[in-house]
Amino acid sequence: MRIELNQLKLFLSDSNLVPKEILEQVAEEAAKSGKNLGALLLEKKLIQEAELQKVYAYILGIPFVDLSKETIPIEILQIVPELIAKKYNIVAFEKTGTNLKVAMLNPEDLQTIDFIKKKTGLKIVPCLTTRENIQGILRQYEKSLKAEFGDILTGDIKPDGKNEDDENLEQVAAGLPIIRIVDTLLKHAILESASDIHIEPEEKAVHVRYRIDGVLHDAMTLPKDVATGLVARIKVLSNLKLDEHRLPQDGRFKIQNEEYNISFRVSILPIFDGEKIVMRLLDESSKGLTLEKMGLVGSALEAVHREINKPNGMILVTGPTGSGKTTTLYTVMDILNTPEVNISTVEDPVEYRMPRVNQTQVNPKIGMTFAAALRSLLRQDPDIIMVGEIRDQETLEIAMHAAMTGHLVLSTLHTNSASATLPRMLDMGAEPFLIASTVNVIIAQRLVRCLCVECRKPYKLDKKEIESLGKSYDMETILQYLKDTPISRKFVEKAKDWGEVTLYKKTGCDQCMGEGYHGRNGIYEVLPMDTEIRKLVTQSATTEEIEKTAKKNGMATIAEDGFLKIVQGITSLEEVLRVTKE
């Protein structure tokens, strides 16, 4: 946009958006380097893009629009073709009579405005917005792809003849309708932040479901005719055998572009009506995940940070399948991943690729078990070892000896609570003194869905609900814990009982696609191995005895951490009940 440096400087100075001394320095740098002043301020993070765009809009005398929470009707959105919208960063968002309002990054792009005016026959009213707003609206084009399925399915997608030989299957897999169907299924899954895609053939149809925020949702139902081509196409992408229909197969493929870098882990299993496909989506472009963002807070967070920075010992993460254990381990590895240390892993399978980390995948068919891989790995001079899962006594013993001989060992176990982990290790045949001397900290976790902040609704519990909850939880102890915890105190300090505490429940809006939830957060139970706990382990104490002592020493249970997230408005009571009620 043609805005003079001095003109922009004057307006920014009057608005006090940037301190005057800093503005002078950056303006001088812009004049010397020939760079745009606005771009330089954004680069140095001295101003938000939205604030800068508002200043531009004021100077140019055109409206500024915030579309971050808008859902544009599909008939308005498609007035500007998707290719034009993406290429020129321009989207239509409102039509009144013969006037069409468009949001853009450069309202002086008269050529594009003129093109849309000629194509639509409407009067174009340009408005300024941010790049983030444009990207959000562009994603709405892709969410409308379901409407195109009718057109896709009119193609010839059945193999020629009755024999599904290799050549026929390759032809079907390479056919345009099948390619478009698979591309659309994958694109939808990525847009909706699905973690898994389930493609399930039945007698008369093929059902597609996405797992979003830990819960499966019906995505679409396709004709049975597409089943063969669909399986063939995914086998081609995953480099699997096309003519193998009787045995399970596992593979991988990747989709990489400017917007995302997604790895798909594919599992194909023969079932009665064909072959079922489950694809796990792994976002390899996601960066910056921290323990805080995952939901660890207060003394639990401090304990984890303290223990992972020790040079040796064991860090154990426990919980059921799908509770985010592997993500926690990868986050810890990311924190510890510096040039000074050698990190090696043994996994089944390798979930995410990490730079500067030596990752080994087990293969029991050829004798490459966790124990065998771990034994060899110890000769590779590692500082930090991550074992995907401790499943047997041999793996446990090698991991514990590694922890004793100067290595930091990260691993997972399947137990319901942090306290139950220590008796479980005793059951697996570990020596009590070894457990006591090697384990640093145990983290038990669950994942809960986060309430949509746009539509969550406050409410209070009635007497009947409080009585019902009292059968599962010690509600008085939990309320006292919340009052004693700095992060939750302000939400409950004036409450005499649970009837006076504000909770939130889901409703559903356009932002969360009517679900009432968006994203997930962890709830945790962190058990550091202090002197008292070590003593109990050497005495082969029960889960109840260990938990009682840990709570006395300040450990918050998963339920208490869940209620902390409830009073903060992060999640709902129903979600915490779903993952903690046994």
Side-chain angles (χ1 to χ4, degrees):
M1 286 178 282
R2 295 190 301 275
I3 294 174
E4 296 294 325
L5 185 146
N6 287 332
Q7 190 183 14
L8 178 58
K9 182 180 156 188
L10 188 66
F11 272 91
L12 287 170
S13 181
D14 289 344
S15 66
N16 291 319
L17 287 168
V18 181
K20 289 181 182 178
E21 289 176 16
I22 295 171
L23 183 62
E24 287 290 342
Q25 290 171 11
V26 179
E28 199 176 314
E29 187 183 332
K32 283 180 183 175
S33 63
K35 284 185 176 179
N36 178 286
L37 174 58
L40 210 53
L41 288 166
L42 285 174
E43 190 182 306
K44 293 177 180 289
K45 296 181 179 174
L46 294 169
I47 193 170
Q48 297 289 324
E49 188 193 3
E51 297 297 339
L52 183 64
Q53 291 291 76
K54 283 175 188 174
V55 172
Y56 284 156
Y58 185 77
I59 294 170
L60 295 167
I62 63 166
F64 174 86
V65 288
D66 180 4
L67 301 173
S68 59
K69 294 173 185 175
E70 297 294 321
T71 301
I72 314 300
I74 191 64
E75 62 274 10
I76 305 291
L77 195 64
Q78 290 185 337
I79 291 173
V80 176
E82 186 179 359
L83 286 172
I84 299 294
K86 280 187 170 176
K87 189 173 182 181
Y88 297 103
N89 287 307
I90 179 169
V91 291
F93 67 94
E94 190 181 305
K95 182 174 176 282
T96 313
T98 57
N99 287 352
L100 179 69
K101 285 188 178 179
V102 295
M104 53 200 305
L105 297 179
N106 182 12
E108 292 182 328
D109 184 358
L110 300 177
Q111 195 175 349
T112 303
I113 292 171
D114 196 44
F115 170 80
I116 295 168
K117 184 181 177 182
K118 284 177 183 174
K119 186 181 182 301
T120 62
L122 299 168
K123 184 186 175 185
I124 307 301
V125 182
C127 302
L128 201 58
T129 192
T130 64
R131 189 170 297 279
E132 192 179 345
N133 275 202
I134 292 282
Q135 292 301 321
I137 300 299
L138 287 175
R139 283 195 285 273
Q140 291 184 27
Y141 276 97
E142 298 181 350
K143 284 180 182 177
S144 69
L145 283 170
K146 283 185 184 180
E148 295 179 22
F149 252 86
D151 299 331
I152 297 173
L153 296 173
T154 56
D156 182 18
I157 47 184
K158 287 186 278 189
D160 301 325
K162 291 178 182 177
N163 296 320
E164 295 175 0
D165 56 30
D166 265 4
E167 199 177 326
N168 270 336
L169 287 171
E170 280 178 22
Q171 285 173 6
V172 175
L176 190 60
I178 283 296
I179 289 174
R180 285 184 65 195
I181 289 170
V182 173
D183 286 354
T184 305
L185 290 177
L186 301 181
K187 193 185 281 188
H188 268 276
I190 294 166
L191 282 169
E192 294 182 25
S193 303
S195 60
D196 300 85
I197 305 170
H198 289 239
I199 300 171
E200 301 160 327
E202 289 190 355
E203 189 180 353
K204 294 178 181 175
V206 177
H207 296 289
V208 180
R209 296 193 289 172
Y210 295 153
R211 190 178 292 282
I212 302 166
D213 294 334
V215 178
L216 278 170
H217 299 266
D218 283 326
M220 58 193 78
T221 300
L222 302 172
K224 181 69 172 176
D225 291 348
V226 307
T228 304
L230 210 58
V231 173
R233 175 66 185 158
I234 290 164
K235 282 180 177 178
V236 167
L237 288 172
S238 313
N239 201 22
L240 300 175
K241 293 177 183 176
L242 277 171
D243 59 343
E244 180 55 80
H245 307 290
R246 298 173 302 166
L247 292 173
Q249 294 191 74
D250 295 313
R252 274 178 179 266
F253 66 93
K254 189 181 282 192
I255 294 180
Q256 199 167 359
N257 61 24
E258 290 174 6
E259 291 177 45
Y260 42 73
N261 178 8
I262 308 286
S263 178
F264 291 81
R265 203 178 77 215
V266 180
S267 169
I268 299 180
L269 179 72
I271 61 172
F272 189 79
D273 290 303
E275 292 173 89
K276 179 183 172 178
I277 302 169
V278 175
M279 290 181 272
R280 168 68 54 90
L281 282 72
L282 304 162
D283 187 355
E284 296 188 350
S285 60
S286 62
K287 295 279 183 281
L289 196 60
T290 63
L291 295 172
E292 292 90 333
K293 283 182 188 174
M294 288 167 62
L296 272 162
V297 292
S299 57
L301 176 66
E302 289 168 17
V304 174
H305 273 297
R306 182 178 65 248
E307 299 301 335
I308 65 174
N309 283 301
K310 288 183 177 177
N312 59 293
M314 288 183 85
I315 312 292
L316 294 171
V317 185
T318 80
T321 303
S323 60
K325 298 188 298 294
T326 306
T327 304
T328 300
L329 288 184
Y330 273 98
T331 305
V332 170
M333 282 198 294
D334 195 40
I335 294 166
L336 300 173
N337 192 4
T338 61
E340 294 83 39
V341 294
N342 171 19
I343 303 179
S344 297
T345 76
V346 184
E347 302 171 64
D348 182 23
V350 172
E351 296 266 8
Y352 298 94
R353 285 290 298 109
M354 283 191 84
R356 304 182 75 101
V357 173
N358 311 291
Q359 294 171 271
T360 303
Q361 183 159 320
V362 301
N363 187 348
K365 289 178 187 173
I366 57 168
M368 183 69 151
T369 59
F370 273 112
L374 189 51
R375 203 176 281 111
S376 298
L377 195 146
L378 286 168
R379 294 193 281 273
Q380 290 276 314
D381 186 31
D383 298 294
I384 297 163
I385 299 165
M386 193 274 264
V387 184
E389 188 185 340
I390 292 175
R391 295 176 183 170
D392 54 62
Q393 185 180 351
E394 191 181 5
T395 308
L396 177 61
E397 284 177 357
I398 299 168
M400 289 173 77
H401 281 105
M404 276 194 76
T405 53
H407 306 90
L408 185 67
V409 179
L410 316 173
S411 193
T412 70
L413 266 172
H414 281 283
T415 58
N416 288 330
S417 67
S419 311
T421 306
L422 298 165
R424 169 81 181 116
M425 292 170 81
L426 290 169
D427 290 343
M428 288 175 78
E431 294 290 344
F433 76 91
L434 265 179
I435 299 171
S437 56
T438 56
V439 177
N440 289 357
V441 67
I442 301 164
I443 306 161
Q445 67 179 75
R446 303 286 187 277
L447 287 177
V448 290
R449 290 182 290 172
C450 296
L451 283 165
C452 172
V453 292
E454 300 299 328
C455 65
R456 66 184 182 184
K457 190 177 174 183
Y459 76 104
K460 286 186 167 67
L461 294 168
D462 60 35
K463 200 171 181 181
K464 201 174 179 181
E465 288 171 321
I466 297 167
E467 283 175 11
S468 177
L469 285 168
K471 292 172 186 175
S472 302
Y473 306 106
D474 185 344
M475 297 300 283
E476 284 183 26
T477 304
I478 291 173
L479 185 58
Q480 192 55 52
Y481 162 75
L482 297 175
K483 286 183 176 184
D484 294 341
T485 305
I487 200 166
S488 57
R489 191 179 295 143
K490 62 181 177 182
F491 300 102
V492 295
E493 61 185 343
K494 293 177 183 176
K496 292 173 189 170
D497 57 39
W498 276 102
E500 296 179 10
V501 178
T502 301
L503 282 71
Y504 293 86
K505 59 184 171 184
K506 66 167 189 167
T507 52
C509 65
D510 288 340
Q511 295 298 308
C512 58
M513 310 295 281
E515 287 294 318
Y517 296 103
H518 184 68
R520 286 193 287 177
N521 201 263
I523 57 173
Y524 299 88
E525 186 174 282
V526 175
L527 173 60
M529 292 288 285
D530 57 30
T531 310
E532 281 187 71
I533 300 293
R534 291 185 199 280
K535 191 176 177 182
L536 285 172
V537 173
T538 56
Q539 294 166 359
S540 302
T542 63
T543 301
E544 290 74 22
E545 289 170 326
I546 293 168
E547 186 164 311
K548 189 179 176 183
T549 304
K551 283 162 83 172
K552 187 188 79 179
N553 294 348
M555 181 189 82
T557 63
I558 279 188
E560 286 169 344
D561 194 42
F563 275 90
L564 185 143
K565 305 286 196 306
I566 290 169
V567 297
Q568 286 180 281
I570 293 170
T571 191
S572 67
L573 180 59
E574 290 76 15
E575 276 297 290
V576 173
L577 282 168
R578 179 175 68 85
V579 299
T580 63
K581 207 171 178 183
E582 291 175 14

